[in-house]
Amino acid sequence: MKNFLKDNLKELINIFNQNNFECYVVGGAIRNYLLNIPIYEFDLCTNAHPKYIKSLFEKHINIGEKFGCIKIHFKGDWFEITTLRIEKEYIDFRHANYIKFINSPYEDSLRRDFTINSIYYDGNKLIDPMLGTNDIKNKLLRVIGDGNIKFKEDPLRILRCIRFKSELDFNIEYLTLLALKNNFNLIINLSKYRINEELKKIFKGVNFIKSIQLLNLLNFFSLVSNKEVKLFNINSLINSVTDFHLRIFCLFYFHSKISDNLIFQILESDYNINKKKMIEIKKVYDAIKNFQNNKLFIKKIILKENYKFSLKIILIISHYIDKMILKIFYKIKWGYSPLKFKHINLNTQNFVKNKKDVIKYNKYLITLLHLKPSLNEYNTLIHLIKFFKP
């Protein structure tokens, strides 16, 4: 467990310990480490009062001192650190009116959202007051305490729950799911910005289709747009194009009976799709409307758009209208259809120690070459595989 801490983080924890304070890594970093997935940031908590935190570190920013939140700079990195606390009397569906700083990780864990996010690490051992490690092993999302209370305190937790379901491919524990359903309408109290930020993350998750199906069952899309939006056949939603704006366009265009004009209106007003991305959506829309199963149609797209975007257009048409068009596209673009392992200008077996991983390396290279064919050169490919870890 010690190996997952960076050296400067170990030193930072030691500084607190040397000054008779406790300091813990908490939340997403611990969860991701236990799941063996990438860690993007480290959140810390301590029993030191904010004024003592500021006295220990010269470079700091008050990002919410009232709530015990200070951002500190230490040896090249910024870390967000929060004083352990109790919270009560939530207002505005977000913030607590009553806050008390405490010493106990157990009491602090009671204010957190899900058991998997309430695991603490002091640099030597795990502290798991809510048995989050068990839920990680069982792939369960369980709210801490009474879900009806927790979701009323902050409705964003409802969307975070569905986001974790998508990202981690976890199931939602029964009582948590029941509370989520009973309180789902509370999301109308959230800003569109916060809703869309969570929705973007949901769309990026490995289990996004099941999460979108759940949102549809809970009437999410009607609530956001304040219009009747019924979706169907979501299990066939495109997954080969990952851009949020294109995925949500496909969701409404191919999986609902909403009129075309209303789709554009909803995307702009309710999902904050900016002008640049709306232009891309309209290009996809025009290609769909003018689709013809011939080489001339594909050549026109290739001439008008860069390779990356033309591929996205073709992938959408291939997924929803005509599967054969993708092979024709590759043949026109490269002279063969589609790109196969034998077309890689490198024998991967000569550079991979574990021969069982050869196919994984080849798939990695194929993905890159689909996006940028010019990378298909021997010396470039050697360089690329050095950074790939299957």
Side-chain angles (χ1 to χ4, degrees):
M1 189 77 194
K2 292 181 180 180
N3 295 333
F4 99 104
L5 292 183
K6 298 188 291 185
D7 288 340
N8 60 349
L9 193 49
K10 293 177 186 176
E11 289 184 52
L12 190 152
I13 291 173
N14 284 334
I15 288 174
F16 279 94
N17 295 160
Q18 289 164 7
N19 285 273
N20 298 317
F21 295 115
E22 300 296 328
C23 183
Y24 311 92
V25 180
V26 67
I30 308 293
R31 179 194 70 226
N32 286 13
Y33 176 81
L34 294 174
L35 287 167
N36 196 28
I37 59 178
I39 297 169
Y40 298 105
E41 61 182 358
F42 291 86
D43 291 325
L44 303 167
C45 59
T46 177
N47 60 345
H49 191 281
K51 66 180 180 181
Y52 291 118
I53 298 173
K54 292 191 290 183
S55 71
L56 293 174
F57 301 94
E58 184 177 344
K59 196 170 183 180
H60 59 264
I61 302 172
N62 294 343
I63 57 174
E65 187 171 351
K66 176 184 174 183
F67 300 96
C69 300
I70 307 291
K71 202 166 189 175
I72 58 177
H73 189 268
F74 183 71
K75 295 205 170 180
D77 287 319
W78 285 95
F79 298 98
E80 189 172 315
I81 184 158
T82 306
T83 303
L84 299 171
R85 66 182 188 265
I86 293 172
E87 294 181 348
K88 294 179 182 178
E89 301 171 14
Y90 282 75
I91 55 174
D92 68 15
F93 296 103
R94 178 63 173 164
H95 299 102
N97 192 41
Y98 173 85
I99 292 169
K100 180 183 177 183
F101 297 134
I102 55 174
N103 291 314
S104 165
Y106 171 77
E107 289 185 274
D108 180 79
S109 70
L110 294 171
R111 71 176 178 83
R112 297 184 180 273
D113 50 12
F114 304 102
T115 59
I116 63 170
N117 295 332
S118 62
I119 306 168
Y120 302 72
Y121 180 61
D122 65 1
N124 294 301
K125 64 183 182 301
L126 285 178
I127 300 168
D128 185 13
M130 296 296 146
L131 304 179
T133 51
N134 287 345
D135 285 336
I136 286 175
K137 289 175 185 175
N138 294 317
K139 294 192 170 186
L140 271 182
L141 286 163
R142 187 191 308 272
V143 75
I144 295 171
D146 186 334
N148 292 298
I149 294 173
K150 276 290 168 72
F151 292 140
K152 282 185 174 75
E153 288 174 348
D154 184 357
L156 189 66
R157 290 167 175 160
I158 293 170
L159 295 182
R160 277 170 59 84
C161 185
I162 298 173
R163 189 240 294 182
F164 289 133
K165 174 180 173 63
S166 175
E167 290 178 340
L168 306 176
D169 196 15
F170 277 25
N171 292 317
I172 302 175
E173 179 265 337
Y174 174 73
L175 291 177
T176 300
L177 182 61
L178 191 62
L180 185 149
K181 288 180 177 179
N182 290 339
N183 295 279
F184 193 78
N185 284 8
L186 290 173
I187 67 163
I188 63 173
N189 296 290
L190 301 171
S191 69
K192 287 188 177 179
Y193 172 80
R194 293 175 76 198
I195 290 172
N196 285 324
E197 288 303 298
E198 289 300 317
L199 188 60
K200 287 175 186 177
K201 293 172 184 176
I202 289 169
F203 265 96
K204 288 181 181 177
V206 294
N207 197 19
F208 81 97
I209 287 180
K210 288 183 180 178
S211 294
I212 298 299
Q213 287 173 329
L214 177 57
L215 287 174
N216 186 43
L217 287 171
L218 294 169
N219 212 30
F220 169 84
F221 298 98
S222 294
L223 285 171
V224 171
S225 302
N226 198 25
K227 298 175 181 69
E228 186 68 21
V229 180
K230 290 185 178 179
L231 303 177
F232 54 84
N233 200 23
I234 300 172
N235 62 312
S236 64
L237 179 62
I238 189 167
N239 57 16
S240 56
V241 174
T242 58
D243 308 69
F244 171 71
H245 63 295
L246 296 181
R247 269 189 177 173
I248 198 164
F249 165 72
C250 289
L251 181 70
F252 290 135
Y253 186 81
F254 291 106
H255 301 273
S256 81
K257 294 182 179 179
I258 306 171
S259 69
D260 296 357
N261 288 336
L262 187 55
I263 289 173
F264 293 123
Q265 181 186 324
I266 287 172
L267 291 177
E268 285 184 291
S269 62
D270 299 319
Y271 295 93
N272 298 331
I273 306 297
N274 62 36
K275 289 183 180 179
K276 182 179 178 181
K277 290 177 179 176
M278 283 303 300
I279 289 171
E280 289 190 353
I281 288 172
K282 286 174 181 175
K283 286 180 178 180
V284 172
Y285 173 79
D286 289 340
I288 292 166
K289 285 294 186 182
N290 298 308
F291 170 71
Q292 295 178 26
N293 187 3
N294 58 48
K295 291 182 179 180
L296 181 61
F297 171 81
I298 298 172
K299 285 179 180 178
K300 284 181 180 178
I301 291 175
I302 291 172
L303 287 172
K304 281 183 180 180
E305 309 298 339
N306 62 47
Y307 174 75
K308 193 173 182 180
F309 187 64
S310 64
L311 177 59
K312 290 175 185 177
I313 294 173
I314 296 299
L315 284 170
I316 291 170
I317 293 174
S318 172
H319 183 85
Y320 286 107
I321 302 174
D322 187 343
K323 291 181 180 179
M324 295 305 296
I325 196 172
L326 186 60
K327 289 187 177 181
I328 300 170
F329 172 81
Y330 286 141
K331 195 164 187 177
I332 292 171
K333 189 68 184 177
W334 295 327
Y336 41 76
S337 167
L339 191 62
K340 298 178 181 177
F341 291 166
K342 66 181 181 181
H343 298 130
I344 300 173
N345 290 328
L346 177 79
N347 187 347
T348 313
Q349 292 185 23
N350 296 334
F351 299 91
V352 179
K353 292 180 181 179
N354 186 350
K355 302 305 178 185
K356 292 181 180 178
D357 289 333
V358 168
I359 291 177
K360 292 180 182 178
Y361 275 84
N362 281 335
K363 285 182 178 179
Y364 160 72
L365 294 176
I366 286 285
T367 301
L368 293 178
L369 297 180
H370 275 163
L371 297 175
K372 195 170 183 180
S374 62
L375 296 173
N376 200 11
E377 295 181 1
Y378 181 83
N379 290 331
T380 304
L381 295 173
I382 291 175
H383 180 72
L384 288 171
I385 64 173
K386 289 179 181 177
F387 296 95
F388 179 62
K389 295 180 180 180

